[in-house]
Amino acid sequence: MTDTHRPTSTDTDDAVAAAAVPASTPRVTPPRSTTRTLFTVVLPPIIMGILILGLWYFVSYQMLDERRRFLLRPPHQVLDVGFLDWGNFSDILWALWATTKVAMVGLSISIVLGLTIAVVMSQSKLFERALYPYMVTLQAIPILAIAPLIGFWFGTATTGRLIVCVIISLFPIIVNTLFGLQSAERGMHDLFTLHHANRPTRLFKLQFPAASPAIFAGLRIAAGLSVIGAIVGDFIFGRGEAGIGQALRKYANNLDGEQLLAAVIMSSVLGVTVFLVFGWIQNLAIGKWHGDRS
Amino acid sequence: MSTAAAATATESLSFEQIGMIFPDGTEAIQDVSFSIRKGEFVTVVGPSGCGKSTLLKIASGLLEPTAGRVIVDRDRLGYVFQDATLLPWRTVRGNVELLAELHGIPKAERAQLASDAISLVGLDGFEGHYPKSLSGGMRMRASLARTLTLSPPIFLFDEPFGAVDEITREHLNEETQQLFQREGFAGLFITHSISEAVFMSTRVLVMSSRPGRIIAEFDVPFGYPRSPDLRFDADFARLSGEVSHALRGSH
Ligand SMILES: Nc1ncnc2c1ncn2[C@@H]1O[C@H](COP(=O)(O)OP(=O)(O)OP(=O)(O)O)[C@@H](O)[C@H]1O
Ligand SMILES: [Mg+2]
């Protein structure tokens, strides 16, 4: 929220003061009728949702005959069996929780590692040149291709899963942080140079704050990827505390179509939640000064 | 080679036969010599790209000249950039405190310096605002206040009011001129605007197009404080005409 300090009469420059007042008034949303908001903002996604449900029913009942209907159960059955049956749903939730734990630990490792690597790269062109090709290579290796190697070296339980998670989510953090650290304007650097700022001062008072929007953007991407990494690792290795990856495999093997779909839906809910949570954290941290509106 | 030796008693800033050739071969400045005494406000006008910013960067030590030397005390040099260069993540107060912070001035003293400077530029009430919610003129004031916290004996201004509208610019000219009078610093001001140059300074230097040389010098005889109406004075108009003439000859 913006402070609502107002200029006092000391400001002699009326033109400037007057120009500044609208900017300092918090949240002047243009007057817009609620019905219009309803039609342009709320309604379109609802209509789209109804269309999707319609298509889903159509496929389940019209395109699939009775014997093949297990391939896509109709929505209400998915709801009944996958979500409203507490036994089934709590299984999914537990698996989801196991995955979330792995994802969060993996993400934390990625953040520490990624920030460190990016800072090192930003401090020395030599390091940047030396590391960058390998970062890109790491990013380019399909995770499926190195999964066996990871399992071979680190085991297929939690450690292996964590490593998959880190490999998949590290790159966006490094790239965004590095880009951010290098994004401070020339003039700001000149200002720090003029006043004899040393490297740590420059890093913490200029480069890091300047990088924070990029870092948060990287974090959001990485957070989503860490969830994917945790699921994929679990799915490939199928060992250790059962997460949603193993659950998906089990449901698929048992032809539990309803639970499979419920698990898929809950996985995306987890992904979206993580994305939103990081967006919220970003807004808390830098929303006051970054972006168009306060 | 330039040195940052202490200035002599009367001269705050001296350029001695400064020449600047960039590594790519661009000759930006050629044999520029002049000095500024305490209590003088010198403005340099010149066509775009003639090396004015380069001159200030050399004065401040951001650039090393390829010929000649600068004599100036760089410990407390005030440098107001062309754009406000406020840190967007700091409030007005945070921005104004920055330089004192970089110079290791203790917190309480810093806060006092910032409050004083903010009042001086008329930004009271805006301490908690972030730069994005300030107008261009207010950002420039914040930038000015930031420099004022160090009470620099020498102020370098690089076209600080180039990006604000005419009326705001005139206000800012007047306020800068009042600050100059009150604080008694030595000023080196860069601008494109002849009226701004004549209105504020004790002396106007005209630079040629690249490579920049000083091709004309005008003393401005008006006393301070100067009223905004000075701009409609016949002598003001005549002097502006002369500067304009010299500037046209510079191309
Ligand atoms: N780092 C650099 N390397 C090469 N040439 C440069 C460099 N910096 C400036 N120049 C050149 O030197 C000349 C003078 O530049 P400078 O920025 O000092 O001009 P200026 O008088 O401040 O122009 P303006 O009024 O447009 O701000 C220009 O031709 C510019 O292209
Ligand atoms: Mg310039």
Side-chain angles (χ1 to χ4, degrees), chain B residues 53 82 158-159:
Chain B
S53 297
Q82 181 151 2
D158 192 354
E159 287 186 59

Side-chain angles (χ1 to χ4, degrees), chain A residues 233-246:
Chain A
D234 189 28
F235 187 84
I236 300 174
F237 298 138
R239 294 265 182 78
E241 190 185 1
I244 202 81
Q246 288 180 54

Side-chain angles (χ1 to χ4, degrees), chain A residues 18-280:
Chain A
V21 168
S24 65
T25 315
R27 297 202 184 279
V28 198
T29 18
R32 190 196 265 187
S33 69
T34 30
T35 34
R36 247 193 84 180
T37 318
L38 191 71
F39 276 105
T40 57
V41 180
V42 181
L43 225 47
I46 290 180
I47 291 175
M48 195 66 205
I50 291 171
L51 286 178
I52 291 172
L53 281 180
L55 186 70
W56 184 345
Y57 272 113
F58 178 77
V59 174
S60 298
Y61 284 119
Q62 296 302 126
M63 292 178 61
L64 297 171
D65 55 46
E66 186 102 36
R67 273 175 305 125
R68 295 174 61 230
R69 191 155 300 146
F70 71 90
L71 287 175
L72 185 66
R73 301 288 189 191
H76 63 272
Q77 278 185 27
V78 172
L79 186 69
D80 269 351
V81 180
F83 289 91
L84 299 180
D85 178 326
W86 178 245
N88 288 342
F89 190 54
S90 65
D91 281 350
I92 294 176
L93 287 184
W94 276 115
L96 213 56
W97 172 236
T99 300
T100 309
K101 282 190 293 190
V102 172
M104 289 305 118
V105 175
L107 181 63
S108 311
I109 296 173
S110 277
I111 291 174
V112 173
L113 218 62
L115 290 183
T116 312
I117 294 173
V119 166
V120 167
M121 284 169 92
S122 78
Q123 294 300 301
S124 150
K125 260 272 163 312
L126 234 53
F127 271 113
E128 188 186 338
R129 290 207 195 100
L131 290 176
Y132 208 84
Y134 297 100
M135 292 296 128
V136 176
T137 313
L138 189 67
Q139 146 81 8
I141 299 174
I143 201 72
L144 279 175
I146 43 166
L149 192 62
I150 294 170
F152 184 60
W153 281 344
F154 304 100
T156 48
T158 314
T159 316
R161 227 186 284 178
L162 275 178
I163 287 174
V164 169
C165 206
V166 170
I167 288 179
I168 227 175
S169 62
L170 187 61
F171 191 69
I173 296 183
I174 296 177
V175 171
N176 278 274
T177 306
L178 185 59
F179 167 79
L181 290 174
Q182 293 169 341
S183 72
E185 283 167 35
R186 179 66 189 273
M188 294 178 184
H189 274 293
D190 282 349
L191 188 68
F192 276 68
T193 306
L194 279 176
H195 297 279
H196 317 291
N198 55 21
R199 264 176 188 242
T201 306
R202 200 183 286 264
L203 184 63
F204 289 109
K205 292 199 183 206
L206 174 60
Q207 291 175 287
F208 257 117
S212 50
I215 293 177
F216 277 109
L219 279 188
R220 269 176 106 161
I221 299 169
L225 288 176
S226 73
V227 171
I228 293 176
I231 297 176
V232 167
D234 189 28
F235 187 84
I236 300 174
F237 298 138
R239 294 265 182 78
E241 190 185 1
I244 202 81
Q246 288 180 54
L248 287 167
R249 170 162 287 185
K250 187 183 82 191
Y251 296 141
N253 288 342
N254 298 348
L255 305 184
D256 291 331
E258 294 93 340
Q259 291 167 64
L260 183 59
L261 274 172
V264 168
I265 291 171
M266 289 313 290
S267 309
S268 20
V269 168
L270 177 61
V272 171
T273 308
V274 164
F275 192 77
L276 289 179
V277 164
F278 275 84
W280 176 73

Side-chain angles (χ1 to χ4, degrees), chain B residues 34-37 40-46 187 189 193-208 213-222 224 226 235-250:
Chain B
F34 67 92
S35 44
I36 301 171
R37 284 181 298 278
E40 264 196 310
F41 196 104
V42 175
T43 297
V44 175
V45 291
F189 194 98
S193 155
I194 294 170
S195 122
E196 181 170 79
V198 176
F199 181 75
M200 293 209 288
S201 21
T202 53
R203 195 146 51 101
V204 178
L205 304 178
V206 179
M207 251 174 122
S208 69
R213 282 159 295 125
I214 305 294
I215 50 168
E217 180 172 346
F218 299 89
D219 280 313
V220 183
F222 315 113
Y224 292 88
R226 294 178 181 173
D235 289 337
F236 186 93
R238 194 180 36 74
L239 190 54
S240 302
E242 284 171 25
V243 174
S244 171
H245 191 84
L247 196 55
R248 248 173 293 141
S250 74

Side-chain angles (χ1 to χ4, degrees), chain A residues 5 11 13 24 195 205 293, chain B residues 88 101 103 122 125 129 132 141:
Chain A
H5 287 302
D11 199 59
D13 186 348
S24 65
H195 297 279
K205 292 199 183 206
R293 286 248 28 111
Chain B
E101 209 175 303
H103 284 261
H129 284 234
K132 70 166 181 179
R141 283 158 197 247

